[in-house]
Structures are given as structure tokens and as C-alpha cells.
Amino acid sequence: MPQVQNAPPIPGLQSGRKAVVVIFETDCPTCQLALPYLNSLQRDSVQVIGLSQDDERSTNEFIRELKISYPVELDSGLKISRAYDPQNVPTFYLLDESGQVQQTLVGFDKQGLNDLAAALGHSPIAPADDGAPAWKPGCSSRHLEPEVDGGAAEGSAKLLRRTGDPASRITLRDEEDPFEYCRQKFGDALPVIPPTVEKVEAMVRASGLSPETIVARVPPFYGEATVEKIAANAVMAGCVPEMMRVLLPLLRAACDERFNLHGVQATTHFAAPLVMINGPVRQELGFWSKQNVFSNVARANSTLGRAFQLILLNIGGGRPDGIDMSALGNAGKFSFCIAENEEENPWEPFHVTRGLKREQSAVSLFAAEPPRGVSEHTAPAGKTVLETISFALATVWSYRMCLMPEAIVILCPEHVKTIHRDGITKEQARQFLFENTGIPVRHYSKEERAEGTQLAANYKEIMVRGEKCYQKFRSPEAISIFVAGGTAGKFSAVIGSWSTGPAGSQMVTYPIPNK
């Protein structure tokens, strides 16, 4: 980097020591996301210096809001930025003892930050499951913007601050009914429990966090979900304080950019987040996984799912009479939470398939259509059961639409018992469903222009039951299997997805802290 040879000295940089220098803007969301991760380096005596491209007022606010603990200097006149010439911010530079650049990192990249820390002999500084995305691009560097050439600019430090404003205290007049007030202002058309200060404080204490801590920003309004505001919604939904242990990782998972909660909340589609619980927490907090698993049988399932939906309404702004534009909606928007019947599952539990250990509790989220039932009471063989399910899988999203959908198959205990008895593994079951779910080519007419026909040129032709078909799913991984329900009754279910992939909603699985 020849420009660096003639760069002005970096204020505060001590020669003879390695250092991390980061150039940033205060109004860049990626900078706001990334810079707090360096605090742990500074705490372990690594020399860290921030160089702000903005004015003193914005920079001071940035430091205060994000609790930056390392020295931050102003890059007056952007002279250092011009010398180092970063194309984007944030840009991180690892300098050796003589001030030479040894490593450069641009934007927010968890693996890159951990590699940077490793180069300094430090442990990882960016956990995988803290609710932040794995990667996020930065903004253009100020010195490349002609409108601010030669000077610093004002910014905003609000977007990714780590603590939020306290929840509003509301005092009702004696003649006002607190139940009716809360139902009208914060409810979902069902009665809610008024979140008194005492009840909310008990919920906050159970979290082990300070009430002003921001756990996530909830799309589409990106409201700050502080622990206190999450607790207030949990009280209204009827949760016990111990449920905060599940609700906090659930919020982080929902706001993981891979899940695309913004799209899920605003779409005209049926989609609603389906919450799936695995691991020891099922027994510890009473999550139900047996008969009537989608129904109103257990407090844990019903209140967690409802608290989550109230948060999406009250903090995220996804109200069904407003920005939530679903044409027909989904009953799951009251509560949509199930647990896996791991005791009746002869295969590995769902969260193990998703990469976690069996003894780890976990929550998974899927942007789901309503369940559609599959009745198969007479099939003697496991493959016949799977074949029946494949007919239901053919209808998810839209009958003629292929490649885009994903699906979860909820296998009841009797069906999975039959399939397992025939020596079929979980992976073989997924492969069978993938290979045997197809839409007959004869159902695609150029004249009809029905949904899905316009993409037929991209579809793969296969033979299913002796007939030429288009393959419904893009891969076996697009089909997930979850075991739930009662031990009597051969009813399974198929749940389709919203739009999937990087441009849609991807399933996410987050660990829940064990006791």
C-alpha cells in the first residue's frame, strides 16, 4: 500500500506495538454494527484506535451510544483516509510494530474479525449466534464522496446503539379498565394481561440482563426490542418469567437477516413464523409435542408463540390492519409454536439435523404456510406413506410452482414408526420425497399461463410413477422432517414455505441456554 508510506501519523498510535486501526463513519449501519466487537480486544490490552470521518459531535454521540471503550480520533480533513484510501467503511487495518499494514478487513465479517483477533493471539470476538448477520457490506468511504470533500460530515448514531430508552409508564384513571385498555392498545384482538411494573420487573430479573439492553431490532419498523419491552409483551401474553430464557434467543433468531422478517411480516402471502422447540427445555418449561400439538393444549407453546407475535405487532409494527398485507392471513399469527416429540422419533432430533448437539436446547424458525393434513391409515409400507405425503408436497406454494418452495413434513409417531420399521433412514426418507414429488408436464399449458408455467424452462424433468414430471423441489435439503403429534391416529402434515433462498426467507436455528 504505497499511500500509507506517506500517511500522516495516526493520533495516539504507539510505535513498537501491534495495533488495530479502523476507519469508520458514524451514520454507517455496518460501522455501528461492527465497531463494538473491538471492545474485547482493547480490554485485553490490544492497541485499538478508531478513526472517525465525521465531526466531533456525531463522533462523541457514536462513542457514547455504542459504549466504545477504545480511543477514537477524528480524521480531520480526511487526510488519513486519503492516504490509506479505503473504498468502504468500516475498514480494519492490522499494523505491525513498525506501523506497516499486515492485514485488511472491509465491512462486517464475523469470520474476518475472528481471524483478525487470532492474528493477535486473541480468542474469537464475534460469536456466531448473537443475532447479528455473518456478513454485511459497508458504506462508501467519505473521502470518495465529492459533496463532503475536504471536511467531516454529520451522521447519526441511533441505528445500532446497544441500549434503548425505557418503556413508557402509563397511569390509568380509576374508571378505565386496564384489561380493555391493553387489549385495544397492545393486543391482538384477544384479552391480554396488563403489564404492571411489578410483573415486568420480575420478567426482566429472570432474563439476567439490564432492562435497557437492546436484544434485537424488529422489522419492518426496526423498533428497539429492549429486555424491558420484550418482558412487557411476555406479561401480556401470559408467559411465566422463565420463558425469557427462550424468548430472547427467539427474537435474535427472528431478526437474523437470513430469516428476512421484514419480508415475512409485510408479504401478501400466508406466511407466519413457525416456532419449533427442541432439547431439554421442552421438559423443563412444559412445551407440548404430543396430541393436538398445533392446538391450545399447553401454556408454554401458547404463551411463547403469542408473546412473539405481540412483539412483532407492538415493536415491529407488523399489524394485520396495516403493514401486514397478507391477503388471507394465518391463524398462526395468534401463536404458532410446537415442540418435537423426540421420545417417539427413532431418528436424530430436528436440531441435531441442523447441526446442534442432542443435549442442547434450540429454537428454529420457518416462514410457514398453514399446515395441510395427510391422512394415510391403510398403507402397510413406509414407502407408501411417503408416497402419499409426496402428493401433498406437490401442492405447497402453488401446484405448478417448482424450485422456489421448501417444506416441513410433520410426521406423526405412527407414520414414522412404519417408515423406520422398513429400514428407511431420515435422509433416505427426504431423498425419496425429493425424487417422487413432481408435477406432471401435461399440466403445463402455454395457453393457460397459470402460476409457475412461466418458469417451466428452468425446471428439471424426471419420471415419477411412470409419468414425465417437473421435479418440485430444488434439492432434498428443501424438505425437512419434524416428528410430532399423538401416538394414536395416522395423520401427518405438510407445511409449505414463503419464498426461500437468499432473496427470501431461510430457516434459522438458535441455541437456547441450558439450565
Side-chain angles (χ1 to χ4, degrees):
M1 298 182 62
Q3 301 96 324
V4 180
Q5 299 302 319
N6 299 317
I10 296 174
L13 182 66
Q14 299 176 20
S15 61
R17 294 180 60 196
K18 289 185 177 180
V20 174
V21 176
V22 54
I23 297 178
F24 69 94
E25 301 170 8
T26 60
D27 61 350
C28 164
T30 306
C31 294
Q32 296 179 6
L33 174 65
L35 265 68
Y37 284 88
L38 299 182
N39 283 339
S40 61
L41 290 179
Q42 191 269 343
R43 282 196 296 270
D44 287 349
S45 302
V46 174
Q47 186 177 199
V48 180
I49 296 175
L51 286 175
S52 172
Q53 296 185 329
D54 292 315
D55 62 22
E56 184 174 4
R57 183 194 62 79
S58 297
T59 301
N60 288 338
E61 185 180 5
F62 182 94
I63 295 169
R64 179 176 56 80
E65 294 282 7
L66 298 180
K67 301 185 185 307
I68 300 300
S69 60
Y70 46 86
V72 172
E73 305 288 344
L74 300 181
D75 183 15
S76 302
L78 301 175
K79 295 177 182 176
I80 298 174
S81 295
R82 294 184 195 289
Y84 279 76
D85 196 27
Q87 299 302 293
N88 298 93
V89 291
T91 294
F92 304 82
Y93 298 97
L94 174 62
L95 307 184
D96 65 13
E97 292 83 349
S98 63
Q100 296 298 307
V101 175
Q102 298 297 300
Q103 189 173 330
T104 303
L105 175 65
V106 180
F108 177 73
D109 180 345
K110 282 185 173 177
Q111 185 59 53
L113 285 172
N114 290 334
D115 291 344
L116 192 68
L120 292 161
H122 197 280
S123 56
I125 60 176
D129 298 318
D130 62 354
W135 177 83
K136 189 178 179 67
C139 298
S140 176
S141 175
R142 286 260 193 259
H143 78 287
L144 301 175
E145 300 174 357
E147 62 271 24
V148 297
D149 189 14
E154 292 188 357
S156 169
K158 295 292 187 186
L159 183 59
L160 286 170
R161 60 180 181 170
R162 297 302 172 96
T163 57
D165 300 326
S168 300
R169 264 57 170 176
I170 300 169
T171 302
L172 301 183
R173 298 188 302 273
D174 291 343
E175 63 272 24
E176 289 184 294
D177 179 349
F179 290 89
E180 185 59 23
Y181 180 90
C182 291
R183 187 190 68 79
Q184 291 183 5
K185 296 290 185 181
F186 312 114
D188 52 7
L190 289 175
V192 296
I193 296 174
T196 62
V197 171
E198 294 76 14
K199 289 182 182 293
V200 172
E201 287 179 346
M203 201 72 73
V204 171
R205 283 196 297 275
S207 77
L209 298 173
S210 60
E212 70 273 12
T213 300
I214 296 174
V215 174
R217 287 171 171 78
V218 186
F221 285 0
Y222 291 94
E224 293 175 344
T226 63
V227 171
E228 186 180 41
K229 292 173 183 174
I230 294 169
N233 284 277
V235 170
M236 286 195 289
C239 289
V240 295
E242 291 77 10
M243 199 57 73
M244 291 292 279
R245 173 180 158 209
V246 182
L247 197 48
L248 299 188
L250 170 57
L251 256 292
R252 292 190 178 103
C255 296
D256 185 318
E257 290 190 357
R258 292 173 297 173
F259 186 66
N260 191 0
L261 183 59
H262 190 143
V264 175
Q265 286 243 75
T267 181
T268 55
H269 186 255
F270 299 94
L274 170 65
V275 180
M276 295 173 283
I277 304 293
N278 275 100
V281 72
R282 297 171 308 124
Q283 310 289 356
E284 294 159 2
L285 293 181
F287 284 102
W288 192 253
S289 63
K290 303 176 184 177
Q291 75 274 13
N292 273 299
V293 68
F294 283 105
S295 304
N296 51 349
V297 67
R299 180 178 181 180
N301 301 50
S302 299
T303 59
L304 177 80
R306 192 180 181 208
F308 179 49
Q309 289 294 333
L310 289 177
I311 290 167
L312 301 189
L313 289 174
N314 294 321
I315 302 179
R319 303 201 67 85
D321 53 354
I323 201 166
D324 180 348
M325 300 298 290
S326 180
L328 292 178
N330 185 331
K333 292 184 180 182
F334 280 113
S335 180
F336 207 9
C337 174
I338 61 175
E340 185 162 38
N341 194 340
E342 296 180 19
E343 291 71 22
E344 297 293 336
N345 183 358
W347 301 320
E348 63 184 15
F350 182 70
H351 67 307
V352 176
T353 305
R354 301 279 299 165
L356 299 182
K357 295 181 179 178
R358 180 182 289 269
E359 62 272 19
Q360 173 68 59
S361 296
V363 58
S364 300
L365 271 178
F366 182 69
E369 295 180 337
R372 59 197 73 189
V374 180
S375 174
E376 180 51 86
H377 282 76
T378 56
K383 284 192 175 179
T384 309
V385 173
L386 292 171
E387 187 175 58
T388 301
I389 291 171
S390 72
F391 285 106
L393 283 171
T395 67
V396 300
W397 184 276
S398 179
Y399 178 62
R400 295 179 181 82
M401 183 67 79
C402 300
L403 301 180
M404 185 181 71
E406 293 184 5
I408 295 178
V409 176
I410 308 293
L411 279 181
C412 71
E414 288 201 71
H415 279 165
V416 76
K417 184 177 180 180
T418 301
I419 296 167
H420 183 256
R421 182 206 59 202
D422 289 356
I424 300 172
T425 67
K426 192 177 194 179
E427 285 308 308
Q428 288 171 335
R430 293 172 68 175
Q431 187 70 31
F432 182 93
L433 293 171
F434 171 65
E435 293 176 352
N436 289 275
T437 303
I439 315 300
V441 173
R442 60 187 166 83
H443 289 177
Y444 291 78
S445 167
K446 293 181 180 177
E447 290 74 27
E448 288 186 0
R449 295 177 60 82
E451 185 170 287
T453 59
Q454 73 276 22
L455 302 174
N458 302 316
Y459 300 163
K460 179 182 179 182
E461 287 188 7
I462 59 172
M463 295 298 290
V464 179
R465 292 176 280 275
E467 181 167 11
K468 185 185 294 183
C469 294
Y470 288 127
Q471 195 157 38
K472 179 74 175 182
F473 296 99
R474 63 180 180 276
S475 70
E477 289 70 31
I479 304 168
S480 298
I481 294 177
F482 192 89
V483 175
T487 54
K490 297 182 179 182
F491 297 98
S492 289
V494 163
I495 299 177
S497 70
W498 187 54
S499 176
T500 61
S505 176
Q506 302 172 61
M507 191 189 304
V508 293
T509 298
Y510 270 48
I512 297 169
N514 285 335
K515 291 180 73 175

